[in-house]
Amino acid sequence: MENQIVTAASQKRSAQLFNCLSIIAVVLMPIFPILLIWGAGSIVMYAMSAHHPNPVVRDYIRYGGYRFYGLAGTLLVLLTFSNELKKIFGGPLHMWLAIWALSFLFVVPLGMRDLWRANKEEWKDMRIEGL
């Protein structure tokens, strides 16, 4: 059996990447396809990271996923009632700005906190046994 090394830099990058891309997707939310593209890409990244050898990396990605997928589910429910929301907010532009602002407040500050925490984390190289 051959040993493989997962470097500390790789683990740190893996822990930060999901949150960073989620933040970018929400900030650029008015460009609607960006959110859809990251929605599909995030599923692939989340699935690939589910079996990362370091449980700390899995935790960062899991909580980032909770935020992003919670936002996606909330958007699905809100946009089901978009006609009523347009009336409440006084038009489609105000409705979209309110949805974007709430999305921003939900994902960006907590994602930035996780980026900062992952940066401060003490990462160490891991040796894993290959097949």
Side-chain angles (χ1 to χ4, degrees), residues 83-94:
N83 287 332
E84 289 79 14
L85 287 175
K86 287 178 196 174
K87 293 173 190 172
I88 291 170
F89 287 107
L93 178 62
H94 292 114

Side-chain angles (χ1 to χ4, degrees), residues 28-83:
L28 298 177
M29 191 177 185
I31 306 169
F32 194 67
I34 298 292
L35 190 64
L36 292 176
I37 291 168
W38 173 236
S42 70
I43 294 169
V44 173
M45 179 178 259
Y46 193 87
M48 286 186 338
S49 302
H51 300 289
H52 195 281
N54 189 341
V56 176
V57 173
R58 290 193 305 253
D59 285 342
Y60 278 107
I61 293 170
R62 180 177 355 134
Y63 292 117
Y66 289 166
R67 283 190 296 273
F68 185 74
Y69 300 132
L71 171 65
T74 303
L75 287 176
L76 179 66
V77 171
L78 284 175
L79 295 178
T80 301
F81 301 104
S82 61
N83 287 332

Side-chain angles (χ1 to χ4, degrees), residues 11 13 15 18 20 23-24 35 37 40-42 46-47 55 63 69 73 79 96 98 109-110 113 121 128 130:
Q11 293 174 61
R13 189 174 44 252
F18 190 95
C20 186
I23 290 169
I24 290 169
L35 190 64
I37 291 168
S42 70
Y46 193 87
Y63 292 117
Y69 300 132
L79 295 178
W96 281 110
L110 294 172
R113 181 203 62 187
E121 189 94 31
I128 56 174

Side-chain angles (χ1 to χ4, degrees), residues 6-28:
V6 181
T7 64
S10 172
Q11 293 174 61
K12 178 180 169 182
R13 189 174 44 252
S14 294
Q16 291 178 324
L17 191 59
F18 190 95
N19 285 306
C20 186
L21 292 173
S22 293
I23 290 169
I24 290 169
V26 169
V27 168
L28 298 177

